[in-house]
């Protein structure tokens, strides 16, 4: 049987539709900016200042324990994300910021304090998405860009020094993360712990929706009551909202936008796979205006950073 119209929250679903489409709407402005000869400095400077201000608030939160600056609602989980209200959005905001400063530093040779201003506070956000991305980025960096023997020696020395200096603080993060993980593992198993319980939503929400309410057109065009059937896993929610046909169109448009980021080939493949993995296991990317905005800011900054670098190389005397 089909879902009754009076069961659907039109306002909530309309709001979610706008959130899904927001990155594409904003991209119309971005596509015009990409045609500029130079990047408007005010955009990058404003972006950097907002990141720096929020990261200062993360440090303030760490020192004061201010509840409104924490990543998680409950007091049992460690994490501070400043003024970013949704933890999944915080993950994507920092993933795009980390990617921006990392690529500028190691691929374009642009050394800036923002690299550390972004990287160090991101650890304090303490979401699985950020930890996962930092780990795979470190592995990618070691395997692709650095001699393994050299990096192991440097890394061992650096980690030892940092641990000696900040051992009580690091222990708090690690022990808290481990305790939370083991609690989730004992409660529901490995998959439950890795997905923060989202695997249960498949049985409790997705299966009842598509088996009890959906009819054939829903599989093609979707039909999700967001308030009751939000799975919090990006591709599941995208399929439920738009259906197979809409999902394909949506991902194709997103792919065309993603293809405009002029990353080096190996890094682009790495970043795409990492992003897909995190989107697949977390919500609040496709339907987040904040995450979409930061994704497009990353695109703009990298595009013009490469363009400026190329111009500098051409203008250098031979």
């Amino acid at each position: 049987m089909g879902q009754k119209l009076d069961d659907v929250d039109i306002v909530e679903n309309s709001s979610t539709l706008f959130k899904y489409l927001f990155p594409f709407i904003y991209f119309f402005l971005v596509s015009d900016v990409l045609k500029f000869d130079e990047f408007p400095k005010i955009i990058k400077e404003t972006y950097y200042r907002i990141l720096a201000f929020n990261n200062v608030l993360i440090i303030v939160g760490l020192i004061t324990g201010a509840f409104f600056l924490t990543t998680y609602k409950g007091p049992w989980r460690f994490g501070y994300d400043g003024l970013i209200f949704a933890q999944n959005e915080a993950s994507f905001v920092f993933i795009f910021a980390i990617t921006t400063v990392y690529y500028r530093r190691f691929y374009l040779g642009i050394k800036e304090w923002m690299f550390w201003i972004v990287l160090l506070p991101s650890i304090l956000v303490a979401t699985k998405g950020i930890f996962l991305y930092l780990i795979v980025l470190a592995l990618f960096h070691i395997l692709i860009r650095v001699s393994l023997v050299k990096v192991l020696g440097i890394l061992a020395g650096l980690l030892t020094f940092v641990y000696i200096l900040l051992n009580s603080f690091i222990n708090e993060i690690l022990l808290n993360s481990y305790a939370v993980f083991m609690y989730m593992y004992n409660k529901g198993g490995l998959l439950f712990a890795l997905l923060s319980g989202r695997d249960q939503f498949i049985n409790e929400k997705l299966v009842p929706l598509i088996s009890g309410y959906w009819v054939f057109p829903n599989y093609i065009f979707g039909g999700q009551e967001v308030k009751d059937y939000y799975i919090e896993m990006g591709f599941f929610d995208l399929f439920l909202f738009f259906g197979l046909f809409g999902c394909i169109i949506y991902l194709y448009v997103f792919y065309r936008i993603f293809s405009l980021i002029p990353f080096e080939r190996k890094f682009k493949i790495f970043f795409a796979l990492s992003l897909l993995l995190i989107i697949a296991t977390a919500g609040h990317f496709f339907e987040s205006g904040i995450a979409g905005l930061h994704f497009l800011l990353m695109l703009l900054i990298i595009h013009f950073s490469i363009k400026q670098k190329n111009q500098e190389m051409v203008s250098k005397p031979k």
Side-chain angles (χ1 to χ4, degrees):
M1 60 180 178
Q3 194 169 0
K4 296 180 180 178
L5 184 61
D6 56 4
D7 292 334
V8 178
D9 188 332
I10 300 298
V11 174
E12 180 70 23
N13 280 26
S14 298
S15 173
T16 301
L17 175 62
F18 177 76
K19 291 176 183 177
Y20 272 117
L21 298 180
F22 177 81
F24 299 156
I25 296 171
Y26 187 78
F27 181 71
F28 287 121
L29 298 175
V30 171
S31 61
D32 288 333
V33 177
L34 288 172
K35 299 174 184 177
F36 292 177
D37 292 328
E38 295 183 2
F39 185 53
K41 290 184 179 180
I42 189 172
I43 297 178
K44 182 169 76 70
E45 290 175 356
T46 302
Y47 173 62
Y48 274 11
R49 286 171 182 169
I50 291 173
L51 283 177
F53 176 70
N54 190 71
N55 289 358
V56 168
L57 291 179
I58 289 175
I59 304 299
V60 171
L62 175 67
I63 295 171
T64 64
F67 179 75
F68 72 96
L69 298 175
T70 58
T71 304
Y72 303 99
K73 294 180 181 179
W76 55 87
R77 294 196 66 176
F78 176 90
Y80 295 89
D81 62 1
L83 296 179
I84 307 173
F85 294 107
Q87 66 195 56
N88 287 330
E89 287 184 340
S91 294
F92 290 116
V93 167
F94 275 91
I95 285 169
F96 298 141
I98 291 167
T99 303
T100 300
V101 295
Y102 171 86
Y103 198 86
R104 280 168 60 86
R105 184 180 184 90
F106 291 105
Y107 281 85
L108 303 180
I110 302 172
K111 296 183 178 181
E112 53 189 350
W113 280 106
M114 277 305 297
F115 177 80
W116 301 108
I117 292 172
V118 168
L119 183 63
L120 297 180
S122 69
I123 299 171
L124 303 179
V125 180
T127 65
K128 285 196 290 290
I130 291 178
F131 285 153
L132 173 62
Y133 187 68
L134 287 173
I135 291 170
V136 295
L137 180 60
L139 292 174
F140 173 84
H141 185 81
I142 291 170
L143 294 173
I144 301 299
R145 299 193 55 81
V146 183
S147 166
L148 185 59
V149 175
K150 179 180 178 181
V151 78
L152 287 178
I154 295 174
L155 190 61
L158 180 62
L159 289 177
T160 301
F161 173 76
V162 171
Y163 184 76
I164 292 173
L165 189 65
L166 302 171
N167 64 86
S168 60
F169 168 64
I170 294 173
N171 286 343
E172 181 181 359
I173 297 177
L174 295 178
L175 290 175
N176 178 263
S177 299
Y178 177 76
V180 171
F181 181 84
M182 290 307 298
Y183 169 79
M184 299 291 283
Y185 175 78
N186 292 328
K187 183 179 179 180
L190 180 60
L191 189 61
F192 184 86
L194 292 173
L195 298 177
S196 298
R198 294 185 183 93
D199 59 313
Q200 289 192 342
F201 292 164
I202 295 175
N203 292 325
E204 296 173 358
K205 297 181 179 182
L206 187 146
V207 174
L209 175 63
I210 63 177
S211 63
Y213 291 99
W214 271 23
V215 292
F216 179 74
N218 290 120
Y219 291 93
I220 307 300
F221 303 108
Q224 179 193 29
E225 169 48 54
V226 176
K227 188 165 58 177
D228 296 328
Y229 296 100
Y230 188 52
I231 309 299
E232 295 187 42
M233 297 173 72
F235 295 111
F236 280 116
D237 288 315
L238 190 67
F239 169 69
L240 291 179
F241 198 87
F242 289 109
L244 182 61
F245 179 76
C247 191
I248 291 172
I249 297 297
Y250 188 96
L251 290 175
Y252 175 74
V253 175
F254 182 80
Y255 164 76
R256 293 298 300 270
I257 295 174
F258 182 87
S259 65
L260 294 176
I261 305 177
F263 285 143
E264 182 271 338
R265 181 176 176 273
K266 289 181 180 178
F267 185 81
K268 193 166 191 173
I269 294 172
F270 155 78
F271 181 69
L273 293 176
S274 302
L275 186 61
L276 289 174
L277 174 62
I278 295 170
I279 291 173
T281 55
H284 295 284
F285 175 69
F286 292 123
E287 73 280 23
S288 169
I290 293 176
L293 177 60
H294 282 259
F295 175 81
L296 293 172
L297 284 169
M298 179 189 69
L299 188 161
L300 282 174
I301 292 172
I302 295 301
H303 172 86
F304 282 101
S305 295
I306 293 175
K307 190 172 184 178
Q308 181 180 1
K309 191 75 174 178
N310 291 337
Q311 290 172 346
E312 290 173 356
M313 292 177 64
V314 170
S315 62
K316 281 184 179 181
K318 298 182 180 179

